Amino acid sequence: MNDTDGIRRLMMAVERLEDAADKQARQMADGLQQAQQVNAGLATVREAEEAKLKQAMVRLFQDQQQKTEAALRPVVGRAWLGLVAGAVGFGTLYVGLLLLLHREYQRLKDAQVRADAADVSAEVLQASRHVEITSCGGRPCILVDRDTPTWKSRGKEYVLVDGKPAM
């Protein structure tokens, strides 16, 4: 065996290795391309499944919303009824309190009139302590001292009972 045979064999081995490497690179490229195609196919399938899932979720949400609205409709009706009843009750209470307040105000005014009358009666009673009142032939009369000072008001002349001069 000579060196040229060895070199030739070595070159053939290198060529075979290169061919095998090229073949393997092509297979890897083909495999990569197939993987990309499969990945693209999976992405398409995934997108289609996601769209179906979204549509199903929208339908479920709409169904749930309709069920919730149907369940709440009577509750909302009762709440409005309660609100109206409360407003009517409050209005009735308000009118009743106004009537009560008006009645108490009338009673207060009547009491003030009675108090004013009692004040006048008390003044008359106090003044009557300074005067001697008697009956003269069935008519009331008083004993008047002619020297007592008088009070003039509206064209009439009154005798001052306590005897003090008018101011």
Side-chain angles (χ1 to χ4, degrees):
M1 228 179 157
N2 68 23
D3 281 339
T4 49
D5 273 343
I7 291 179
R8 235 187 256 162
R9 277 195 209 155
L10 187 62
M11 291 209 32
M12 281 180 34
V14 168
E15 248 180 68
R16 276 190 241 143
L17 281 174
E18 283 178 355
D19 286 343
D22 285 342
K23 187 177 178 184
Q24 192 172 11
R26 277 193 306 266
Q27 285 176 350
M28 285 180 68
D30 289 344
L32 183 60
Q33 187 177 12
Q34 285 177 351
Q36 288 174 347
Q37 289 173 351
V38 168
N39 195 16
L42 287 175
T44 305
V45 170
R46 186 185 75 231
E47 288 173 5
E49 290 296 319
E50 284 178 357
K52 287 180 187 177
L53 180 64
K54 284 180 184 177
Q55 290 173 353
M57 287 177 67
V58 167
R59 279 193 306 271
L60 285 174
F61 177 74
Q62 289 172 345
D63 290 344
Q64 187 64 35
Q65 189 174 12
Q66 288 173 353
K67 288 177 183 177
T68 303
E69 286 175 1
L72 286 178
R73 202 168 286 127
V75 174
V76 170
R78 285 192 303 266
W80 276 107
L81 184 63
L83 185 63
V84 168
V88 167
F90 179 74
T92 303
L93 179 66
Y94 182 73
V95 168
L97 287 175
L98 283 178
L99 290 174
L100 182 64
L101 185 63
H102 179 69
R103 180 174 174 234
E104 290 301 316
Y105 180 70
Q106 288 298 330
R107 287 180 64 193
L108 178 64
K109 283 175 56 176
D110 292 344
Q112 285 175 338
V113 167
R114 285 192 307 271
D116 290 344
D119 283 343
V120 169
S121 295
E123 288 175 2
V124 169
L125 182 61
Q126 187 178 10
S128 70
R129 288 186 185 146
H130 299 285
V131 175
E132 187 177 329
I133 299 176
T134 187
S135 176
C136 302
R139 295 178 53 198
C141 60
I142 60 171
L143 179 62
V144 177
D145 182 8
R146 297 253 177 227
D147 297 330
T148 306
T150 60
W151 177 265
K152 294 182 183 178
S153 174
R154 297 186 198 147
K156 295 183 181 179
E157 189 172 335
Y158 298 91
V159 174
L160 298 173
V161 176
D162 62 3
K164 296 179 184 174
M167 297 183 158

